[in-house]
């Protein structure tokens, strides 16, 4: 077996379609020598169908990251397929429609709480659920959208991502004692299912493609996936609490 992740065992969440970043992560991980286990929520049959499009069909286990019982049983269900984990990929986010598209001032707390639970707190929850399977050298990698500024239409999801970025730093601090890293990849806008659910998300498209120093392909998930693989690999053994921007350089350019 050869490749950047030869012999690694990974848990990848958030595969919904083959246009998702998580799918590209799983595909490239397998091509680079990793064993992959996927999680799905809701329409599990859809995830199972997508899993068959990978180079090697991957097992799929059900996981609702807001369900304490499912989180408590995650390690046992993963052990049915692999004997441990070297990496976990968090590609999970959701916000009710009231929290997006300009509704920042009007969104009720109940909807905001849902966004924060699914998109922010779940990063810690997933890491802790997988922790019994992990050993020193392991890595948790999540996906964010640069939360250092306020974006039009992103609203409470932007707040949730800011919380995610902070949570990753705290996770890095607390899990570092066990030799486990926590890092995020800040990808530029991509035409995924998640993006399509945000009213007005197309406002990002022309601006990003025109201003990113390296240009930006809205339909190419591979650059973000490659960054995830690098952070999951042994090539960043002393990097934790970091956010790697994969956005064509847009974040470095003033408005």
């Amino acid at each position: 077996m050869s490749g950047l992740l030869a012999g690694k065992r990974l848990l990848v969440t958030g595969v919904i379609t083959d246009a998702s970043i998580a799918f590209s992560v799983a595909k490239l991980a397998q091509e680079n020598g990793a064993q992959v286990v996927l999680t799905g929520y809701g329409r599990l049959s859809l995830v199972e169908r997508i899993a068959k499009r990978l180079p090697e069909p991957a097992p799929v286990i059900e996981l609702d990251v807001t369900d304490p019982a499912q989180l408590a049983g995650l390690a046992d269900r993963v052990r049915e397929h692999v004997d441990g984990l070297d990496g976990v990929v968090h590609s999970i986010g959701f916000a009710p429609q009231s929290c997006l598209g300009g509704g920042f001032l009007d969104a009720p707390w109940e909807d905001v709480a849902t966004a924060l639970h699914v998109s922010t707190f779940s990063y810690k929850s997933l890491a802790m659920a997988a922790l019994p399977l992990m050993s020193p050298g392991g890595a948790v990698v999540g996906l964010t959208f640069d939360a250092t500024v306020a974006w039009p239409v992103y609203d409470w999801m932007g707040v949730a991502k800011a919380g995610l970025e902070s949570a990753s730093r705290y996770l890095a601090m607390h899990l570092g004692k066990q030799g486990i890293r926590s890092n995020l990849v800040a990808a530029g806008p991509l035409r995924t299912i998640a993006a399509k659910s945000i009213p007005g998300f197309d406002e990002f498209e022309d601006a990003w493609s025109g201003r990113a120093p390296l240009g930006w392909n809205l339909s190419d998930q591979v650059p973000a996936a490659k960054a995830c693989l690098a952070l999951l690999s042994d090539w960043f053994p002393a990097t934790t609490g970091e956010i790697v921007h994969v956005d064509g350089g847009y974040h470095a350019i003033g408005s």
Side-chain angles (χ1 to χ4, degrees):
M1 186 181 296
S2 62
L4 185 67
L5 299 179
K8 299 288 188 186
R9 300 152 300 175
L10 305 180
L11 181 69
V12 179
T13 67
V15 173
I16 301 175
T17 72
D18 54 8
S20 63
I21 298 174
F23 179 87
S24 289
V25 169
K27 179 176 182 291
L28 288 174
Q30 286 187 343
E31 291 172 351
N32 280 273
Q35 288 181 272
V36 173
V37 177
L38 305 179
T39 73
Y41 169 68
R43 297 174 61 187
L44 210 60
S45 61
L46 175 61
V47 182
E48 291 169 342
R49 187 160 63 248
I50 296 300
K52 294 176 182 177
R53 299 180 186 176
L54 292 168
E56 296 288 336
V60 178
I61 59 180
E62 184 176 14
L63 179 63
D64 175 356
V65 289
T66 68
D67 185 333
Q70 288 195 14
L71 287 165
L74 179 65
D76 288 338
R77 285 179 288 146
V78 171
R79 285 193 187 97
E80 295 174 5
H81 306 286
V82 292
D83 58 1
L85 288 175
D86 302 290
V88 176
V89 178
H90 179 280
S91 182
I92 298 169
F94 170 76
Q97 284 298 303
S98 66
C99 296
L100 300 162
F104 183 85
L105 298 178
D106 300 316
W109 164 244
E110 292 76 14
D111 288 353
V112 172
T114 296
L116 296 177
H117 195 175
V118 177
S119 309
T120 306
F121 187 75
S122 68
Y123 187 70
K124 190 277 297 187
S125 301
L126 178 65
M128 295 307 296
L131 190 59
L133 299 167
M134 302 184 76
S135 55
V140 182
V141 176
L143 289 157
T144 187
F145 188 76
D146 188 0
T148 59
V149 297
W151 298 102
V153 311
Y154 209 45
D155 293 333
W156 284 103
M157 183 57 85
V159 176
K161 291 297 187 184
L164 174 66
E165 293 175 8
S166 182
S168 178
R169 290 188 286 269
Y170 277 95
L171 206 62
M173 179 174 68
H174 288 286
L175 295 188
K177 302 176 183 67
Q178 300 180 49
I180 295 172
R181 297 164 284 136
S182 173
N183 294 289
L184 300 178
V185 171
L190 292 163
R191 290 182 181 137
T192 61
I193 291 292
K196 290 177 181 177
S197 70
I198 302 174
F201 194 81
D202 54 356
E203 291 182 28
F204 292 109
E205 298 186 355
D206 292 339
W208 219 279
S209 299
R211 292 185 57 210
L214 293 175
W216 186 248
N217 185 339
L218 294 149
S219 302
D220 187 4
Q221 291 79 22
V222 169
K226 285 183 173 180
C228 292
L229 261 62
L231 291 169
L232 291 164
S233 78
D234 295 330
W235 282 92
F236 283 90
T239 298
T240 193
E242 187 58 86
I243 301 173
V244 177
H245 288 82
V246 182
D247 62 356
Y250 186 99
H251 74 282
I253 305 302
S255 59

